[in-house]
């Protein structure tokens, strides 16, 4: 694995050098939203049925007023908006401010939603959101690229009201005896350059199981094409 990792790094040497100099990250954060604006709809098409099923019971977590207060971490281009119920009061967070124009475009295409806040913040630090302020937190394809999954989940528990739910859809590490896992480990060092810090081999399920949720509903799926290293996923929701 180390030999193959270094071989790939050698092929991408200019990018590796820019990353070491601290120049790649600032450049790619400007480019990444444009890439995601193209890629995210294609991914959404692949998992449309799974997302529709996942978000079908969002309404049951609405607060006493009947309105659903929903916080999405790492909103990106807003590809989940179409799955949220009408009247949903939405708070969007993302650490990359360059997503803003794409997110606003998605909001204009989904007038059934009511925007409450647009916050530039990482999932590890949601200090602008009050304790127990939201009914639902959503996080899709985000935990693969955060600095600390544990810190994100700690923040999720803090901002959720008692009885609220955390919805997730994440690509994760494959079984360690599989060829998929082998290639995940080979590609990991350079994958982060093109996924804005994304890791292919995060064991997110274990982190969710360790977190103090009262209930965890989780299942494993694979997203086509099955041969790519990001195919293994987990999907589900957890209740505080």
């Amino acid at each position: 694995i180390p030999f193959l990792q270094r071989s790939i790094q050698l092929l991408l040497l200019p990018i590796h050098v820019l990353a070491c100099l601290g120049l790649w990250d600032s450049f790619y954060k400007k480019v990444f939203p444009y890439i995601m604006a193209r890629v995210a709809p294609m991914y959404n098409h692949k998992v449309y049925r799974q997302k529709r099923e996942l978000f079908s019971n969002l309404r049951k977590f609405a607060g006493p007023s009947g309105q659903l207060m929903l916080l999405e971490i790492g909103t990106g281009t807003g590809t989940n908006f179409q799955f949220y119920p009408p009247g949903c009061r939405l708070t969007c967070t993302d650490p990359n401010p360059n997503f803003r124009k794409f997110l606003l475009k998605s909001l204009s295409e989904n007038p059934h939603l009511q925007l409450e806040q647009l916050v530039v913040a990482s999932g590890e630090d949601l200090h602008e959101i009050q304790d127990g302020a939201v009914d639902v937190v959503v996080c899709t394809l985000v935990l693969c690229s955060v600095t600390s999954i544990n810190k994100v989940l700690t923040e999720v528990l803090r901002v959720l009201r008692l009885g609220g739910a955390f919805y997730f859809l994440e690509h994760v590490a494959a079984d360690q005896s599989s060829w998929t896992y082998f290639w995940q480990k080979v590609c990991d060092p350079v994958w982060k350059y093109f996924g804005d810090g994304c890791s292919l081999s995060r064991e997110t399920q274990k982190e969710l199981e360790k977190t103090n949720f009262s209930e965890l509903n989780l299942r494993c799926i694979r997203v086509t094409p099955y041969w790519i290293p990001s195919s293994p996923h987990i999907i589900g929701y957890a209740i505080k």
Side-chain angles (χ1 to χ4, degrees):
I1 288 176
F3 171 76
L4 289 172
Q5 287 175 336
R6 291 187 179 92
S7 298
I8 294 173
Q9 285 177 331
L10 187 62
L11 290 172
L12 299 172
L13 186 59
I15 294 174
H16 185 61
V17 171
L18 288 173
C20 291
L21 293 172
L23 300 174
W24 177 257
D25 190 55
S26 58
F27 161 74
Y28 198 66
K29 282 195 181 300
K30 294 177 181 178
V31 175
F32 189 55
Y34 291 89
I35 295 173
M36 290 307 297
R38 295 291 187 97
V39 173
M42 292 187 286
Y43 175 82
N44 237 19
H45 179 72
K46 291 180 184 179
V47 296
Y48 180 83
R49 180 178 57 82
Q50 290 91 339
K51 278 192 176 184
R52 186 178 59 182
E53 180 183 348
L54 173 66
F55 295 127
S56 63
N57 67 344
L58 279 172
R59 284 183 181 277
K60 82 173 190 178
F61 294 105
S65 67
Q67 286 192 305
L68 183 70
M69 302 292 292
L70 189 150
L71 164 68
E72 182 167 356
I73 298 174
T75 310
T77 59
T79 54
N80 290 328
F81 291 168
Q82 61 181 296
F83 300 101
Y84 298 157
C88 176
R89 297 174 64 181
L90 183 65
T91 297
C92 301
T93 71
D94 201 287
N96 188 344
N98 298 299
F99 273 112
R100 181 182 175 88
K101 73 173 186 178
F102 299 100
L103 188 150
L104 292 175
K105 180 176 182 292
S106 291
L107 280 170
S108 69
E109 295 168 353
N110 291 274
H112 65 287
L113 303 177
Q114 180 182 338
L115 180 65
E116 292 287 303
Q117 281 183 277
L118 202 91
V119 182
V120 177
S122 68
E124 293 93 335
D125 182 11
L126 301 171
H127 67 272
E128 293 188 44
I129 315 298
Q130 295 181 353
D131 296 5
V134 298
D135 303 307
V136 167
V137 177
V138 173
C139 193
T140 61
L141 301 186
V142 172
L143 297 178
C144 56
S145 58
V146 298
T147 305
S148 169
I149 296 177
N150 177 260
K151 286 183 179 179
V152 174
L153 295 179
T154 299
E155 281 289 79
V156 167
L157 282 175
R158 182 184 66 79
V159 301
L160 273 176
R161 66 165 176 81
L162 188 63
F166 172 57
Y167 283 73
F168 55 88
L169 171 62
E170 299 286 339
H171 71 79
V172 294
D175 184 282
Q176 293 189 11
S177 63
S178 67
W179 277 108
T180 301
Y181 184 76
F182 173 84
W183 287 112
Q184 284 179 335
K185 298 304 288 185
V186 168
C187 297
D188 236 350
V190 295
W191 187 273
K192 64 182 179 181
Y193 296 149
F194 303 102
D196 198 18
C198 174
S199 171
L200 288 164
S201 55
R202 289 273 173 95
E203 296 183 335
T204 307
Q205 180 172 343
K206 291 183 179 179
E207 295 294 331
L208 284 163
E209 290 169 348
K210 288 190 296 184
T211 305
N212 192 28
F213 288 110
S214 65
E215 181 182 331
L216 177 60
N217 301 279
L218 179 150
R219 63 189 179 97
C220 299
I221 62 171
R222 291 183 70 90
V223 174
T224 56
Y226 300 129
W227 54 268
I228 64 172
S230 60
S231 176
H233 280 58
I234 56 171
I235 186 172
Y237 66 95
I239 300 175
K240 178 176 176 180

